[in-house]
Amino acid sequence: MPAGKFHSEFSNLQEMSDEKKICTESGIEIKQVYTAHPPLNEMPGEFPFTRGVQPGMYRDKLWTMRQYAGFSTAEESNKRYHYLMNQGQTGLSVAFDLPTQIGYDSDHPLAEGEVGKAGVAIDSLQDVEVLFDGIKLENITTSMTINSTASILLAFYIALAKKQGADLKKISGTIQNDLLKEYAARGTYIYPPKPSMRIITDIFEYCAKEIPKWNTISISGYHIREAGSTAVQELAFTLSNGKAYVKAAIDKGLDIDVFGKRLSFFFNAHNNLFQEAAKFRAARRMWAKIMKDLGAKDPRAMMLRFHTQTGGSTLTAQQPLNNIPRVTLQALSAVLGGTQSLHTNGFDEALSLPTEDAARIALRTQQVIAHESGVTDTVDPLAGSYFVETLTDELEAKAWEYIERIDAMGGAVNAIESGYMQNEIARASYDYQQSIEKNERIIVGLNKFVMEEKPFDKYFTVNDSIRQTQVDKLIKLKAGRDPLNVNSSLSKLESTARSAGNLMPCIIDAVENYATLGEISDVMRKVFGEYR
């Protein structure tokens, strides 16, 4: 067919289809056909890292396969970790219960009903010793999803590594340690923003000197997306929070080319395969530009390295086995987008913590993608796609618009304190839910292809007696420790918190004397107050 005739017929077809508009939840219109995009003159491993942070990516090394796990007591969680490692998991990812996340010991009145439910209960170094029993910390990377009490959990981990005789220069892993997204989207904060930022930058400073392979923060878009944001908002708000942390560290006198290498990110993966892959590519490019503008000279400090978790909020309690293909699509988008680490959700997680069977299938999903799909054979396999390259550009452009608005407010902290981020997320969440209820967005098994089902009966349950078990352990712990050493270390922590000293050595000293997580948190509550 002559070129002129082809373009004429295509134009007629385009006009006929213009009436049907398809948009992502971020408001990006998807055209029927994409016919051109300027060449992408970039290579993987080179600034601005659109195509990946390593030249060989998965040809050289697969992403770290993690399964987020933690429940009940340290003893029970330890069994699950050994099971997952025996199934081929290559990194640990620890979930903590809500009392641990907000600085309460298991015997605190507010902990009642929550001990060991959303994750493992950790009250002291004694629990951490049990949690990692039989696991050499030098030989595995550990990700800990913890924020307000991140300094304490990191101190527990360091204290255990020292007891194991590990070289602290060799231990590696990540603490989430991202408080700004807690104020904006999740809610497990303790202290006001300013002292929280101090604790975070104290961790940056300490780790740069003592545990240089540790990722000191995982700047998290995951919970922003779980709270109902769009992909563009997840991208923009996460990177804005990242800018705030970097500026705070620079203001503390830290070297961006040193601490910048230990920053990591944590993103969500939802069902729109191409949008999610494009989001990850845009994130790398944007962060490289942000870090360069903030003064980074070392390319490694400009690299956005990230962990991905599949979307918990996308899972349905209806027809839960449908969640297996959902998770597969989401995991595939993360791999196509160049993730460094990946957690896949269990199909039953809309109903309970995952059973062993569900956790195994979730891990096998990653292994099938890695070894059977062929998508790891070449780097950035979607590069050059007219659609994906255009979508990457459009996501980036819309995210920059948000970032410019936030910068005009004075940065992420001001945007959170004014309620701007929270209101934008709430609006997007409302719009999304409305689109489902109006059947404008189809969720298979929820608002279309619905069927009568037998009640799902393979729940994972946590025994309510867990709290008493933890309380008994605390009573025994406190009876056997040296009270003078505990009180001395807590007093030293309080005086340091009231001054400008780095808190980490004092927290490590306290945990090594078997002060509890709640006791340490209460000292800082006394000095810093609580954010309400």
Side-chain angles (χ1 to χ4, degrees), residues 314-332:
T314 69
L315 304 181
T316 62
Q318 298 83 0
Q319 301 178 36
L321 290 176
N322 292 346
N323 294 325
I324 296 175
R326 288 188 180 105
V327 169
T328 304
L329 276 173
Q330 294 163 10
L332 184 59

Side-chain angles (χ1 to χ4, degrees), residues 17-53:
S17 65
D18 276 348
E19 296 175 11
K20 183 180 180 182
K21 277 196 173 184
I22 296 176
C23 294
T24 70
E25 89 290 343
S26 297
I28 295 172
E29 184 178 349
I30 304 301
K31 299 176 185 176
Q32 180 166 315
V33 177
Y34 291 78
T35 57
H37 187 276
L40 185 68
N41 297 316
E42 296 176 19
M43 292 298 290
E46 296 178 4
F47 181 89
F49 309 107
T50 311
R51 304 194 62 192
V53 293

Side-chain angles (χ1 to χ4, degrees), residues 144-177:
M144 295 188 279
T145 304
I146 198 73
N147 295 282
S148 293
T149 54
S151 59
I152 305 170
L153 268 299
L154 177 58
F156 286 146
Y157 199 84
I158 291 168
L160 177 59
K162 288 163 72 175
K163 289 191 76 170
Q164 288 185 353
D167 181 349
L168 296 186
K169 298 288 192 286
K170 292 181 180 178
I171 68 166
S172 61
T174 306
I175 43 171
Q176 194 161 102
N177 195 29

